[in-house]
């Protein structure tokens, strides 16, 4: 599977959220406290609102529009409709965070 570099791991810290646009796709990296770095689709599955405008408290990401809440460890919705953030496979190679960019992980048209 092809991977695309996103950022240096050293630019992130545990408890951080960081938005990126990778090949025209909105991506959000979440590093929950006590957990592992995760990559998710950066748009809320409800109305495609950019999640970087929301609040990440070190564990939960809250959508800025309807206050849906997603668990930063696995993307599951803990408040709102039954849905989850699409997870994107990632890896760290030589200190660089890379995400999988195969066609099947591309967001669907709204």
């Amino acid at each position: 599977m092809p991977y695309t570099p996103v950022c240096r791991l050293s630019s992130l810290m545990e408890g951080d959220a960081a938005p990126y646009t990778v090949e025209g796709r909105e991506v959000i990296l979440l590093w929950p406290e006590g957990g592992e770095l995760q990559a998710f689709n950066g748009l809320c599955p409800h109305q495609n609102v950019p999640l970087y405008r929301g609040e990440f408290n070190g564990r939960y990401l809250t959508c800025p529009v309807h206050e849906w809440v997603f668990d930063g460890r696995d993307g599951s919705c803990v408040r709102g409709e039954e849905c989850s953030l699409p997870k994107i496979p990632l890896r760290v190679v030589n200190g660089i965070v890379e995400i999988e960019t195969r066609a099947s992980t591309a967001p669907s048209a709204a």
Side-chain angles (χ1 to χ4, degrees):
M1 311 282 166
Y3 280 78
T4 300
V6 177
C7 65
R8 293 191 163 281
L9 181 62
S10 62
S11 68
L12 304 169
M13 295 181 63
E14 188 174 320
D16 279 350
Y20 295 93
T21 302
V22 180
E23 296 182 357
R25 176 182 185 193
E26 298 297 320
V27 173
I28 191 160
L29 299 181
L30 302 179
W31 194 341
E33 294 174 355
E36 296 180 14
L37 181 63
Q38 304 290 332
F40 299 99
N41 182 359
L43 300 174
C44 180
H46 180 215
Q47 290 188 340
N48 288 327
V49 174
L51 290 169
Y52 74 86
R53 295 180 182 169
E55 181 180 327
F56 184 62
N57 69 4
R59 169 122 183 236
Y60 297 107
L61 176 64
T62 303
C63 176
V65 175
H66 294 100
E67 297 186 353
W68 287 15
V69 178
F70 301 93
D71 191 321
R73 297 173 301 174
D74 60 10
S76 62
C77 187
V78 295
R79 185 172 68 206
E81 299 288 322
E82 271 192 49
C83 66
S84 62
L85 294 177
K87 192 171 181 179
I88 303 168
L90 71 73
R91 66 184 184 186
V92 178
V93 178
N94 296 323
I96 303 295
V97 178
E98 300 178 340
I99 62 165
E100 188 176 279
T101 53
R102 63 186 171 135
S104 64
T105 62
S108 59

